[in-house]
Amino acid sequence: MAVSKDLLAVYLDDIAIIIFKKVTDGQPRIMRCTQNMALIPVSYHPTGTDKQLNPNVTRVFDIDKLEWRSFYRSTILSIHKMKVKKDETNNHRRWK
């Protein structure tokens, strides 16, 4: 599935579920991720300057592993957008 950089940015403005093929072993991987800093805990925000990456590689924050990950856009098998709703009881974001 070919996904342009611009289309991927639209999905990653919220939470996206991305299924992609791992380069190391070819197995599919499901990842819930974002690039929206408002959805990423401050303690995980990048510090300093970002190193130059391959233009075909996308860096995202994996919300389940609480780590930054990257993948090749050419390995995406499917992509879906999740809805994020605000939890009124503790004023934190919850994944829906």
Side-chain angles (χ1 to χ4, degrees), residues 56-72:
N56 297 314
V57 173
T58 299
R59 279 189 69 205
V60 296
F61 187 76
D62 183 322
I63 65 171
D64 295 315
K65 293 190 177 202
L66 296 177
E67 294 179 350
W68 287 92
R69 301 290 179 151
S70 59
F71 57 88
Y72 288 93

Side-chain angles (χ1 to χ4, degrees), residues 8-79:
L8 188 58
V10 170
Y11 278 96
L12 293 173
D13 187 45
D14 285 318
I15 302 294
I17 299 173
I18 299 177
I19 301 172
F20 64 96
K21 192 185 302 186
K22 290 172 48 176
V23 174
T24 54
D25 61 9
Q27 294 295 313
R29 179 168 186 278
I30 301 170
M31 179 170 48
R32 294 188 313 158
C33 56
T34 188
Q35 289 181 334
N36 185 334
M37 290 299 170
L39 300 175
I40 299 170
V42 174
S43 60
Y44 293 99
H45 284 194
T47 57
T49 58
D50 193 16
K51 65 180 180 178
Q52 196 77 343
L53 290 176
N54 179 326
N56 297 314
V57 173
T58 299
R59 279 189 69 205
V60 296
F61 187 76
D62 183 322
I63 65 171
D64 295 315
K65 293 190 177 202
L66 296 177
E67 294 179 350
W68 287 92
R69 301 290 179 151
S70 59
F71 57 88
Y72 288 93
R73 287 194 315 276
S74 62
T75 63
I76 294 174
L77 302 172
S78 70
I79 184 168

